[in-house]
Amino acid sequence: MAERQDFISTRKKVTFVDLFAGAGGISEGFLQAYNDKFYFDFLLASDINSNCELTHEVRYNHQLGLSTKFICQDIMEDNFVGNLIKELGQSQVDVVTGGPSCQSFSLAGSRKKFDKRDDLFYHYLKVIKALRPKYFVMENVKGILTKDGGKIVERIMNEIRSIIDERAMPAYILFIDKHLPRTCNSFISKILSLKIRWEAVGDGSKYEDEFVTLLEEQFKTVTRSMEYRKSKSDETVGTARHGLKLLQERSKREKLRKATIELKTRCNINNDLFADQFNDFISAIDDATLVQETSDALRKIEPLVTDKQALSDLSYGLGIYAMTFDETVEVITSLVNHLDDMTKEDYNEIKRQLRLYNIEKPIVVCSADYGVPQNRERVLFIGSRKDQKPITEIPATVSEEEKVRSFEALWDLDTIGSGEIQTHYIPTDPQNEYRHFLVNRNVASQPMEDGKLYSEWSRQGRLGHRFEFDCQPFYVRSASELQGFSEFRDVMELYNHQTSEQRDEVKKRLRIIAEHGDYDMAKEALRKEGVDSQKRNYTVIHPDCQSPTVCTMPDDFIHYRAYRPLTVREMARLQSFDDSFVFQGKRQTGGEKRKEEIPQYTLVGNAVPPLMARAIANVILQNIRL
């Protein structure tokens, strides 16, 4: 395939990078998006898994003929950002997208405390700080909104607002150094000034060391006002002293914390007798816990202290230690508000220039609102650089009545039996009782009288406006086959459409559930027929509405008429992937191997629906200023 010159020559390219790319749902949607002025140029993708890389390389480098690069590396590794910048070379990145792995945030399944993946958004934002794109899109499951009582979202928003424009820092520091001493004593003024410098430069800087040193010096002032024996032997005083020492060892604590979480995640320690012990240890060395314990100790020793002001200032400074840049700025703002109006006006203008990105709140979206035959709710954090127009919503592209039904996506694929592989489309007529659900639509799934059926767009593909299809899609089992001779590549008309052979007992069970339309409603009949199951969930795909959220387990879903699990291709249709998008590698694996090998079902289930990504991308193109 090759890009059509008549398309790209009349538009400016907007570059993007896709992190946590998975199968490529966001990438696919961004490549579909365009307007009269702009289109997206795909520079680079990254993911930790090799089958994601294989699927990307086949689709974007071989099928579409792009020169997109791929980094197969854990974003949490120290050299990831450096490797990313090296691969990008001189390329300017306009947009960064990505969905940090979200299993621990999901409303489905267990939520693991201190899961390694909870920190992935922080490493995503490290990339944002390094690349400074005009926009970034961070996607996650809706469950993140209630994770830890909303504290995760609060943390994310604070971290985004703490990404600063370094060019605005000198003016801000000059202002606070000049005016803060007018609103507070010298200790508070100095501690806030150091914190701002520390946050601007980063952890491990001399400003962090100076900050903790200042706290320790203040602690000495506090203990000098105590009885000598108490200051040396009292357990509570020792707790405060040692808490400050532990804060000084942040880098060592962080390495230990990360290693323990990695070990806990790798060994799947959760809901067992080890879990609480691991969690207690991780919590004990966390900044927030140390600050809390040290603050509690300071409150308890107050009766022993004669210099109450020194103790109060120390407690205040300790609270500043754990704050983000944005939180520290708000503390400074509250102090500046005591100054005269003209000074406050000057300050607010300088402060406004500090934040590099504007973000009002997370945006909740549902894929069905964008022409996807699936009710998949997601949360978007869209950061707009301060020289760009803020994006506060992704308007629906179809109305409630116009939404695509499951039948529209699946009807022409229902010609496969149990234990079969289908490599060609087989002509079929839609069932009479559902025929009226078929609607002519445009490429974005909006009803159009002279348009095509959703299934026809899936077969034809949604990239014809931009690419000339002179290279056939193909399938390989591994990266070694991709590098080998072309005879190792399977070329066919229809890909990823295969079913497993099912026992008669399973067929009967699925038929009973499908006929009842609901697993709970079918349980009594299943028991009577002797085919009941310990499985927690079966979901019937109903033809007259949208499917529920597609997940990574194929046997969770039952086809409305065929009474079987869905194939990879059928799940891809529900996600809005084109049929020409071939999912590479193994179709499915079992047990722990699913985490490492990322089979086709997992690639599909974890993906962002391309049509939803297309809508997000089009909103960015409508607002971006190059």
Side-chain angles (χ1 to χ4, degrees), residues 209-270:
D209 293 339
E210 290 178 17
F211 186 101
V212 179
T213 298
L214 189 59
L215 290 181
E216 290 187 317
E217 289 174 353
Q218 188 73 0
F219 181 72
K220 291 176 183 178
T221 300
V222 169
T223 55
R224 278 197 294 268
S225 70
M226 298 172 59
E227 180 187 343
Y228 181 79
R229 184 176 60 85
K230 284 284 187 181
S231 69
K232 296 300 181 184
S233 61
D234 187 88
E235 181 183 54
T236 308
V237 177
T239 298
R241 178 180 290 112
H242 300 149
L244 292 173
K245 292 291 185 184
L246 285 167
L247 290 179
Q248 198 168 26
E249 301 291 345
R250 175 201 283 268
S251 61
K252 293 179 181 178
R253 286 188 293 107
E254 186 59 24
K255 287 180 182 178
L256 188 58
R257 179 179 176 275
K258 286 172 63 176
T260 307
I261 293 176
E262 172 68 37
L263 177 63
K264 180 175 178 284
T265 302
R266 189 168 63 249
C267 296
N268 200 28
I269 295 174
N270 185 49

Side-chain angles (χ1 to χ4, degrees), residues 285-549:
I285 61 175
D286 185 69
D287 277 354
T289 301
L290 290 175
V291 168
Q292 184 63 55
E293 293 290 343
T294 307
S295 296
D296 290 345
L298 292 178
R299 279 192 291 272
K300 290 176 182 177
I301 67 174
E302 184 177 3
L304 308 174
V305 177
T306 58
D307 192 340
K308 305 295 186 184
Q309 185 60 51
L311 180 62
S312 175
D313 288 348
L314 176 58
S315 298
Y316 187 96
L318 191 61
I320 298 297
Y321 177 93
M323 289 185 178
T324 63
F325 178 85
D326 190 60
E327 290 169 331
T328 307
V329 166
E330 292 309 308
V331 169
I332 293 172
T333 301
S334 68
L335 293 172
V336 172
N337 283 337
H338 295 293
L339 299 175
D340 60 271
D341 289 343
M342 184 173 294
T343 304
K344 287 190 291 186
E345 187 176 329
D346 291 343
Y347 172 79
N348 288 330
E349 178 58 28
I350 295 172
K351 173 188 167 184
R352 190 180 64 82
Q353 295 298 325
L354 268 182
R355 287 177 180 162
L356 187 58
Y357 288 96
N358 294 312
I359 181 168
E360 182 180 321
K361 61 181 179 180
I363 303 170
V364 178
V365 294
C366 179
S367 59
D369 291 330
Y370 309 102
V372 181
Q374 176 191 175
N375 284 315
R376 188 186 192 94
E377 287 191 305
R378 286 297 184 266
V379 171
L380 306 176
F381 296 85
I382 302 182
S384 310
R385 205 170 67 187
K386 65 182 184 180
D387 60 334
Q388 301 293 317
K389 186 177 179 181
I391 293 175
T392 58
E393 64 173 341
I394 307 296
T397 58
V398 296
S399 67
E400 185 67 32
E401 297 74 22
E402 295 171 341
K403 289 181 178 179
V404 182
R405 298 175 174 85
S406 298
F407 180 75
E408 296 183 67
L410 303 180
W411 73 272
D412 64 321
L413 296 177
D414 187 18
T415 55
I416 188 171
S418 177
E420 291 184 357
I421 301 175
Q422 201 170 95
T423 60
H424 294 83
Y425 297 105
I426 296 177
T428 183
D429 289 325
Q431 302 162 40
N432 290 332
E433 66 266 40
Y434 303 134
R435 185 186 294 272
H436 63 284
F437 291 148
L438 297 181
V439 177
N440 288 331
R441 302 176 178 274
N442 65 14
V443 68
S445 293
Q446 297 162 325
M448 178 179 289
E449 189 173 337
D450 59 347
K452 296 180 174 64
L453 301 180
Y454 179 94
S455 55
E456 291 177 319
W457 280 116
S458 298
R459 291 190 184 198
Q460 176 182 310
R462 299 173 175 88
L463 288 169
H465 64 281
R466 177 172 173 180
F467 295 93
E468 294 179 347
F469 292 77
D470 56 5
C471 173
Q472 291 296 315
F474 62 89
Y475 166 77
V476 291
R477 293 159 189 80
S478 65
S480 59
E481 289 189 2
L482 179 61
Q483 305 305 323
F485 298 104
S486 59
E487 59 260 30
F488 291 112
R489 302 174 183 177
D490 293 337
V491 178
M492 55 193 75
E493 183 183 32
L494 177 62
Y495 294 87
N496 306 123
H497 199 40
Q498 177 181 353
T499 59
S500 299
E501 184 69 51
Q502 295 175 318
R503 294 177 286 113
D504 289 341
E505 176 188 349
V506 174
K507 292 178 182 178
K508 187 175 183 179
R509 178 186 303 133
L510 299 185
R511 178 182 59 78
I512 292 173
I513 297 172
E515 288 175 346
H516 280 77
D518 180 83
Y519 185 29
D520 288 335
M521 294 174 61
K523 285 183 177 179
E524 181 61 30
L526 292 174
R527 282 191 290 270
K528 287 182 179 180
E529 293 293 331
V531 290
D532 53 325
S533 171
Q534 297 301 312
K535 185 173 168 60
R536 290 187 300 174
N537 184 57
Y538 285 104
T539 301
V540 180
I541 302 296
H542 294 283
D544 58 346
C545 58
Q546 294 73 46
S547 81
T549 299

Side-chain angles (χ1 to χ4, degrees), residues 37 74 92 99 105 211 230 295 355 377 403 417 450 556-557 563 570 607:
K37 294 181 179 179
D74 189 343
Q92 175 67 41
F105 297 144
F211 186 101
K230 284 284 187 181
S295 296
R355 287 177 180 162
E377 287 191 305
K403 289 181 178 179
D450 59 347
D556 279 0
F557 295 102
Y563 311 148
E570 287 171 323

Side-chain angles (χ1 to χ4, degrees), residues 164-177:
I164 63 171
D165 184 350
E166 295 174 357
R167 297 169 298 182
M169 277 302 298
Y172 189 77
I173 290 174
L174 184 65
F175 182 95
I176 63 174
D177 285 351

Side-chain angles (χ1 to χ4, degrees), residues 11-260:
R11 295 170 176 84
K12 292 181 179 179
K13 63 183 179 182
V14 176
T15 59
F16 80 100
V17 166
D18 189 9
L19 307 178
F20 305 98
I26 291 181
S27 310
E28 195 75 5
F30 270 61
L31 289 178
Q32 291 180 23
Y34 71 99
N35 59 27
D36 291 340
K37 294 181 179 179
F38 304 120
Y39 72 98
F40 277 105
D41 182 30
F42 191 7
L43 296 180
L44 180 146
S46 81
D47 202 286
I48 194 173
N49 187 266
S50 58
N51 198 34
C52 297
E53 180 178 20
L54 177 62
T55 298
H56 263 254
E57 187 173 353
V58 170
R59 176 62 169 176
Y60 300 115
N61 300 127
H62 290 265
Q63 286 182 241
L64 301 187
L66 299 175
S67 56
T68 303
K69 297 179 180 180
F70 197 101
I71 296 179
C72 191
Q73 183 184 5
D74 189 343
I75 196 173
M76 297 182 73
E77 292 181 9
D78 292 337
N79 63 347
F80 177 86
V81 174
N83 289 340
L84 174 64
I85 292 173
K86 181 180 178 181
E87 288 295 327
L88 288 170
Q90 299 299 313
S91 298
Q92 175 67 41
V93 179
D94 295 317
V95 180
V96 174
T97 67
S101 185
C102 57
Q103 286 92 329
S104 61
F105 297 144
S106 179
L107 292 172
S110 64
R111 293 180 173 198
K112 300 179 182 180
K113 187 177 182 181
F114 296 118
D115 192 295
K116 173 184 174 183
R117 293 166 296 220
D118 286 1
D119 278 341
L120 287 176
F121 82 86
Y122 173 76
H123 293 274
Y124 176 90
L125 293 180
K126 283 178 66 177
V127 174
I128 302 304
K129 292 176 184 178
L131 298 183
R132 298 167 59 96
K134 295 176 177 64
Y135 289 96
F136 68 83
V137 181
M138 188 166 66
E139 173 267 348
N140 225 301
V141 294
K142 192 178 180 182
I144 196 175
L145 295 177
T146 53
K147 174 77 171 179
D148 290 343
K151 291 181 180 179
I152 292 292
V153 167
E154 182 181 349
R155 179 183 170 196
I156 292 173
M157 295 293 285
N158 280 333
E159 291 292 346
I160 291 173
R161 289 169 176 156
S162 294
I163 301 175
I164 63 171
D165 184 350
E166 295 174 357
R167 297 169 298 182
M169 277 302 298
Y172 189 77
I173 290 174
L174 184 65
F175 182 95
I176 63 174
D177 285 351
K178 179 180 179 181
H179 294 286
L180 270 188
R182 297 168 54 195
T183 66
C184 56
N185 64 40
S186 60
F187 175 82
I188 299 299
S189 174
K190 190 170 184 180
I191 210 81
L192 287 169
S193 180
L194 283 173
K195 178 63 173 177
I196 286 295
R197 287 170 163 87
W198 164 17
E199 287 293 325
V201 176
D203 293 341
S205 68
K206 68 174 184 176
Y207 300 113
E208 179 182 1
D209 293 339
E210 290 178 17
F211 186 101
V212 179
T213 298
L214 189 59
L215 290 181
E216 290 187 317
E217 289 174 353
Q218 188 73 0
F219 181 72
K220 291 176 183 178
T221 300
V222 169
T223 55
R224 278 197 294 268
S225 70
M226 298 172 59
E227 180 187 343
Y228 181 79
R229 184 176 60 85
K230 284 284 187 181
S231 69
K232 296 300 181 184
S233 61
D234 187 88
E235 181 183 54
T236 308
V237 177
T239 298
R241 178 180 290 112
H242 300 149
L244 292 173
K245 292 291 185 184
L246 285 167
L247 290 179
Q248 198 168 26
E249 301 291 345
R250 175 201 283 268
S251 61
K252 293 179 181 178
R253 286 188 293 107
E254 186 59 24
K255 287 180 182 178
L256 188 58
R257 179 179 176 275
K258 286 172 63 176
T260 307

